[in-house]
Amino acid sequence: MVRDTIRFWRNGQAVEVSGFHPSTMLLDYLRLQERRVGTKEGCAEGDCGACTVALGRVRGGRVHYEPVNACILLLGQVDGAELVTVEDLAASGELHPVQSALVAHHGSQCGFCTPGIVMSLFTLYHEGERPLSRESANDALAGNLCRCTGYRPIVDATLQACGGPADDSFSARSEPTAQGLASLADGRDVFVGDETRFFAAPASEASLAELYGRHPDATLVAGCTDVGLWITKAMMEIEKIIWLGRVAGLDLVDDSPEALGIGATVSHAAIHPALARIDPDLGEVMRRFGSVQVRASGTVGGSIANGSPIGDLAPVFIALGAALELRLGEATRTLALEDFFIAYRRQDRLPGEFVRRVTVPKLKADEAFRAYKISKRFDEDISSVLGAFKFTLDGRRIAASRIAFGGMAGTPKRAAETERALAGVSLDEPGSWGDAMAAIARDYQPLDDHRASSAYRSTVARNLVFKALSETASGDTRATRIVGRREALQAAE
Ligand SMILES: Cc1cc2nc3c(=O)[nH]c(=O)nc-3n(C[C@H](O)[C@H](O)[C@H](O)COP(=O)(O)OP(=O)(O)OC[C@H]3O[C@@H](n4cnc5c(N)ncnc54)[C@H](O)[C@@H]3O)c2cc1C
Ligand code: FES
Ligand code: FES
């Protein structure tokens, strides 16, 4: 039986919405229909965090809260979740602890960013590590731009409010909320609209395959962190949307000793710890992938399927030797991830076919890995260049390598010439590394754009080859990094 409404949990009760336009954004629903205007619109593209709200979902028997950007989240994507906005936090006339701390520390001036900051802190209050470090507090705020207060008082308020156990009205009613959310999980397909215009959320892979086969012109949405901008910035009218977030099984991770099998709808936040366990550099790439809000919504499958030449996951997965599984109707096929990217924004994906999972091999004892994200800002910035290196070592020599770059071509691409030039090179003879560094110029002729010039990208890529080799040779990153030193990250584990 198909459901023709979406249902979510709000202030202790179920809310049912029907008949909405498929591309209605959650922020518009809140401000224009609920008339709750505490949630603000700043950039409308996921960058500033003024629109941050929290979504609660049950995992491991308890409600977990994540911050999301309501400006690039479809209304339909809240199906099955608890929706919490800034208006909901104060209880019995008392401010929430995160609100009180912001007042006490003078963490707000014009106040435009404040509701979004409050909501990010609300999720940190419930989910953050204990004890809470200043670095974690900074990471939690990377997706919230404040242009007038300055971050010192905001971070001080964060450390005060979010350092202890959660003790608010939400933790007090966690059990009834979990029961409420369980009552919404009916496992039915959702289809709001008609054959010409709809928001659909299939509950199984079979339903998805059938529906997408019937409507290959529909737009698949996973986290909506890309598609959202087509709607809010490119003003695209999207009439048919198939949201993947309810498809059972697509959100599973298969963590074996040899490989990570990552379902297409696994979010960046969910896969972050498992990737960091493969290599600390993967953890660093994920820490700097968008913001907490972007990582909570954005998915591994969306990041690959969008075919972006500057996406962060594709090059690191290609260097690790990942395979991609696609499904069309009843048939599945698997291909090497690098073969998926044919040309600029053109992927080997047939009409009606969807990304099912990506399998990422783990490192073997004789393999070394390095990945570097180069961007103009440290936090929440798209890469100018991302270089990923896997060396198979035979003692102190490089027996084989897999090297891939983002930002250097129209697709994420392997550096075949550089890989060839590295075969047999000794880690103890830096004088012999020059050929491999020079080979980068044969592998890539990057473009000039507003992020970086062609000359800059080429120089950076060449230098990253040297950096990867010298770090692998010494096993030390203290001389080559200011942040994200592997020794410190490994000691913290
Ligand atoms: C503020 C901000 C910061 C960002 N920072 C980064 C960053 O640091 N690094 C980075 O790499 N990216 C970044 N991005 C880009 C974006 O977050 C990623 O590309 C993201 O992972 C996309 O995933 P999604 O699930 O949101 O995709 P969606 O927007 O839902 O979909 C993206 C595309 O993939 C298609 N698609 C999705 N899932 C499937 C599937 N299973 N099968 C077939 N097609 C599918 C959709 O139809 C669409 O064409 C950022 C975006 C924003 C808004
Ligand atoms: S309005 Fe800026 S992130 Fe949503
Ligand atoms: S208080 Fe003005 S933008 Fe933060």
Side-chain angles (χ1 to χ4, degrees), residues 45-48 69 72 77 212 218-230 244 250 264-265 268 285 288-291 294 297-308 310-313 326 349 353-356 373 380-383:
E45 60 183 49
D47 267 315
C48 75
N69 290 317
I72 52 168
Q77 287 179 265
Y212 197 28
T219 299
L220 296 184
V221 167
C224 206
T225 59
D226 284 325
V227 176
L229 274 68
W230 306 352
L244 306 176
L250 278 190
T265 61
H268 302 306
V285 168
R288 293 178 52 204
F289 192 118
S291 58
V294 169
S297 300
T299 66
V300 171
S303 170
I304 288 168
N306 73 15
S308 167
I310 48 168
D312 288 335
L313 281 188
L326 297 139
R349 188 161 74 83
E353 195 171 38
F354 60 90
V355 171
R356 190 162 184 263
K373 170 167 175 155
E380 199 177 16
D381 203 1
I382 298 281
S383 298

Side-chain angles (χ1 to χ4, degrees), residues 27 39-52 68-73 112 143-145 291 293-294 380:
L27 183 60
T39 310
K40 304 298 180 205
E41 180 175 87
C43 63
E45 60 183 49
D47 267 315
C48 75
C51 64
T52 304
V68 294
N69 290 317
C71 67
I72 52 168
L73 196 92
F112 196 80
N144 291 92
L145 295 187
S291 58
Q293 292 92 325
V294 169
E380 199 177 16

